[in-house]
Amino acid sequence: MEIKETMRIMKKVLLAFSFIWCLTLAGVAHAQAPAAAPEPAAAPPPAAAPAAAAAPMMITDADIKGVAVPKPEEKAAGDPAGTITGTAADIPVGDAKKGLAISDVVSAVGQNLIATNFVWTLVTGFLVMFMQAGFAIVETGLARAKNSNHTMMMNFMVYGVGMLAYWIIGFAIQEGGVGAGANLGGTAPLSSEYAITLFGKSWGLFGQKGVMLGGATYDVGVMVMFLFQMVFMDTALTIVTGTAAERWKYSAFIISSFIMGAFTYPLFANWAWGGGWLATLGGSYGLGHGYADFAGSGVVHSVGGVTALAMAILIGPRIGKFRRDGTPNAIPGHDIVIVLLGCFILAFGWFGFNPGSTLGAAANGNLRISSVAVNTMLAGMAGSFSAMYYMWLRYGKPDASMTGNGLLAGLVAITAPSGFVNPMASVIIGLVAGVLCALSVEFVERKLKLDDVVGAISVHGTNGIWGVISVGLFADGKSNYGGAWNGVAGSVTGLFYGDMGQLVAQLIGVATLIGFVFTFSFVINMILEAVWGQRVTAKVELEGLDIPEMGAYGYPEFVLKPEPVYEK
Amino acid sequence: MALVGIVVTFAGFVLAAASVGITSSTTGRLGMVVVGIVVSLIGILGVLNPAYQKNAVWKK
């Protein structure tokens, strides 16, 4: 009798789980269903279907009443094996009198799915936030000790300044029209995109909801989105401080960074990620899946890189960087140890940057986070190797700072394609990135006569663009994030796998970065230069920016070497 | 010359973006976008930067 009763309960538990599983699948399939895949209209039922399969059993509230739950005395005795924790007893009940009902179970499934995605996105966002620490010590280590306080403070406050600008207006411009996202349970309040009509199609230009996170955007899903997107924006801003270090007036840095966080970054991010015109190039003009930038080689790194290029041109090189004949002097940083430590911190943070960009870990193809993470680490490794060997072969020593930059270059380059390519392509992308970084540093310094203290133009600008292009080349068509990307059914596929249109969409993104974002950044900073001034005086620069600009040395107990006499 | 550089750089972007409306051929669009990128690069590296390099601090 007891065995029979146990069998009966087990049968009901199995039925309940099957039912929930079916419901989950049905929900996911609905979310994933590509628009152009209607069911055949008149599919006749199989003529000789077995009777048992024809009538699915329905479970009712009564069926789950008998699901076994641990007794209070069992729970009180502790659960070292973890076998009686997390049972039906832990499902919140809507109506205490009625007890556990099917609706409670189904709600718990939905909550768990969204909770998984919330936690994943938030935790990866926290990792990205920590990248600020990595950037701070990389840039400070590559600057001279006399400017360490100033460089560190720029990196420290770019977080707050950027966040303020982004909260006030930037987030609304970027995401205000993105619409509901399935992974976060819907961000429906972000529902208004300003668009114009060009060539017979709608071109989304900027979002209009979410100013100061007010009104309907006071929403749990929107908050997750804000946190994650905010730390990305700050990454772009901190790239510029590396290039302009050791001569940028602190007050000018504050104003310039505020404008970048409020307008420059959000505009391009809207076009690429917020439902703007670059994202819809696929749906509107048949160019692959539109501009595809999984985690931001273009949106984050190239925007930072081309803005850094604009600043380098505007602000000019440090005193002593170039001799009278235009050949460069090396100005070594003061601490290569913290530079490489910073690179490690950045590589760690990148596991938030790329895998987190799924905005979820459950459903909608998000299990691909494992592939994204592996691609990320492989490309970083490949970048550090190729940069190191390039320098070793060319100069006879495996230069430490370039090896660190090679790692970052590989990571920057894989950021856009990480969600669309396979491990072999990731290694190729990383190998190219490392060498490209070294070549670009030489080109920027020797041919353009620009002074980029940390190599940010090459690491983030050049390799960000390489990352964007590599999506159009290497995307293998195997990814599936809810059955569509940018509203176009199917997987993102590059030229090497048969879709030239995707490459064209990527190149339009590159043209926008070079032609629009650069120009916008340049004009903004040119105006700032005219009305406020961007550069400290020669006296301040030679003395070091720590005392004149910040009022304190970074290392007050150190004896700083006098300024070397650079070759003229 | 700096202003010319800015205009040329922006013109490259306009050319690339307009390619989707000017032709429906993927190859044609590819060609126009590449030309647009080259024009923008000329604007930055060939016009704007040299204009600023004329007064570079190391030449003084």
Side-chain angles (χ1 to χ4, degrees):
Chain A
M1 184 67 192
E2 210 170 76
I3 294 171
K4 247 184 165 178
E5 180 63 17
T6 310
M7 289 292 286
R8 193 181 67 80
I9 292 171
M10 280 182 68
K11 197 175 161 189
K12 285 182 178 175
V13 171
L14 279 171
L15 272 171
F17 273 100
S18 306
F19 180 70
I20 294 161
W21 185 65
C22 288
L23 277 176
T24 312
L25 275 186
V28 171
H30 177 70
Q32 288 182 348
E39 286 293 316
M57 287 186 71
M58 297 298 293
I59 59 170
T60 64
D61 288 351
D63 291 320
I64 61 170
K65 291 281 187 285
V67 174
V69 295
K71 294 179 179 127
E73 55 268 27
E74 288 175 318
K75 293 281 277 183
D79 179 24
T83 52
I84 57 171
T85 303
T87 65
D90 297 303
I91 297 174
V93 174
D95 183 348
K97 283 184 190 166
K98 201 173 154 191
L100 187 63
I102 293 292
S103 57
D104 298 323
V105 178
V106 175
S107 292
V109 171
Q111 281 269 326
N112 286 352
L113 178 74
I114 299 304
T116 304
N117 291 344
F118 267 35
V119 171
W120 172 253
T121 308
L122 287 170
V123 170
T124 52
F126 303 154
L127 287 181
V128 178
M129 181 269 170
F130 191 57
M131 287 171 71
Q132 295 290 320
F135 278 117
I137 61 174
V138 166
E139 292 180 13
T140 305
L142 286 171
R144 287 165 290 184
K146 65 178 183 177
N147 299 312
S148 54
N149 184 353
H150 183 268
T151 310
M152 200 71 187
M153 266 296 280
M154 285 202 296
N155 277 275
F156 186 78
M157 275 315 293
V158 80
Y159 180 68
V161 170
M163 195 193 310
L164 179 66
Y166 196 67
W167 170 68
I168 291 172
I169 186 71
F171 178 71
I173 290 173
Q174 180 185 329
E175 296 289 320
V178 73
N183 284 341
L184 301 178
T187 46
L190 301 170
S191 58
S192 180
E193 175 83 359
Y194 178 82
I196 57 171
T197 301
L198 272 177
F199 310 119
K201 305 284 182 184
S202 175
W203 286 47
L205 294 183
F206 56 87
Q208 301 182 108
K209 290 284 177 72
V211 174
M212 295 186 184
L213 294 174
T217 58
Y218 181 24
D219 167 89
V220 289
V222 174
M223 296 300 150
V224 176
M225 184 72 99
F226 175 82
L227 185 141
F228 195 72
Q229 298 296 345
M230 198 294 294
V231 289
F232 271 58
M233 175 278 305
D234 249 333
T235 303
L237 265 59
T238 204
I239 291 165
V240 189
T241 59
T243 294
E246 304 201 285
R247 62 229 195 259
W248 203 0
K249 201 190 279 184
Y250 190 77
S251 56
F253 143 76
I254 296 278
I255 300 167
S256 178
S257 299
F258 187 91
I259 295 169
M260 190 178 173
F263 302 108
T264 318
Y265 175 89
L267 265 180
F268 187 79
N270 174 271
W271 299 350
W273 287 345
W277 67 274
L278 279 173
T280 55
L281 285 174
S284 298
Y285 299 101
L287 291 175
H289 286 70
Y291 174 78
D293 190 345
F294 190 77
S297 289
V299 174
V300 179
H301 297 282
S302 291
V303 167
V306 299
T307 303
L309 175 62
M311 277 305 298
I313 294 172
L314 268 168
I315 205 167
R318 291 167 291 177
I319 295 171
K321 178 62 192 173
F322 293 101
R323 302 177 191 129
R324 287 242 168 86
D325 63 359
T327 52
N329 283 310
I331 303 181
H334 82 280
D335 193 343
I336 196 65
V337 176
I338 64 166
V339 170
L340 292 184
L341 174 62
C343 290
F344 258 137
I345 290 174
L346 285 167
F348 173 68
W350 239 284
F351 287 125
F353 213 93
N354 292 358
S357 290
T358 51
L359 300 179
N364 291 325
N366 288 333
L367 291 183
R368 204 174 153 89
I369 52 177
S370 58
S371 173
V372 178
V374 169
N375 286 344
T376 301
M377 68 199 310
L378 286 175
M381 169 276 294
S384 62
F385 262 100
S386 62
M388 181 189 75
Y389 280 120
Y390 175 84
M391 296 302 283
W392 209 338
L393 286 171
R394 186 156 161 73
Y395 298 102
K397 298 285 179 191
D399 182 80
S401 65
M402 189 59 79
T403 304
N405 270 347
L407 172 81
L408 301 183
L411 292 167
V412 166
I414 199 61
T415 300
S418 59
F420 308 120
V421 300
N422 56 43
M424 182 57 77
S426 302
V427 172
I428 294 168
I429 291 166
L431 287 172
V432 172
V435 176
L436 196 57
C437 177
L439 291 172
S440 177
V441 164
E442 290 176 351
F443 179 75
V444 166
E445 190 169 284
R446 294 178 186 177
K447 299 292 178 192
L448 301 182
K449 311 287 182 214
L450 295 175
D451 183 11
D452 181 0
V453 177
V454 303
I457 297 168
S458 303
V459 170
H460 300 277
T462 308
N463 278 290
I465 287 169
W466 162 233
V468 169
I469 293 170
S470 68
V471 174
L473 298 175
F474 294 102
D476 64 4
K478 297 282 171 63
S479 60
N480 185 327
Y481 301 100
W485 190 266
N486 283 338
V488 180
S491 307
V492 177
T493 307
L495 178 69
F496 296 156
Y497 295 85
D499 188 357
M500 189 163 80
Q502 187 62 50
L503 179 63
V504 177
Q506 299 306 112
L507 289 174
I508 292 175
V510 171
T512 309
L513 286 161
I514 297 172
F516 177 84
V517 178
F518 174 88
T519 307
F520 189 87
S521 295
F522 192 90
V523 171
I524 293 285
N525 282 294
M526 194 169 68
I527 293 168
L528 187 57
E529 163 73 12
V531 300
W532 192 267
Q534 296 259 22
R535 186 165 179 150
V536 297
T537 62
K539 182 175 178 294
V540 167
E541 189 179 336
L542 290 170
E543 185 184 338
L545 278 63
D546 279 2
I547 292 291
E549 285 272 296
M550 312 312 301
Y553 285 118
Y555 305 105
E557 292 172 341
F558 283 25
V559 177
L560 300 177
K561 285 197 294 186
E563 183 76 10
V565 179
Y566 295 106
E567 218 178 305
K568 290 182 178 173
Chain B
M1 279 306 282
L3 198 63
V4 174
I6 291 168
V7 171
V8 171
T9 306
F10 191 73
F13 157 66
V14 172
L15 180 64
S19 68
V20 294
I22 292 171
T23 173
S24 58
S25 150
T26 306
T27 312
R29 287 170 174 173
L30 178 64
M32 284 185 68
V33 173
V34 170
V35 170
I37 291 171
V38 171
V39 168
S40 285
L41 287 174
I42 290 170
I44 298 170
L45 310 181
V47 184
L48 193 56
N49 187 44
Y52 273 80
Q53 290 292 336
K54 273 183 189 167
N55 301 314
V57 65
W58 50 270
K59 287 184 176 172
K60 292 173 185 171

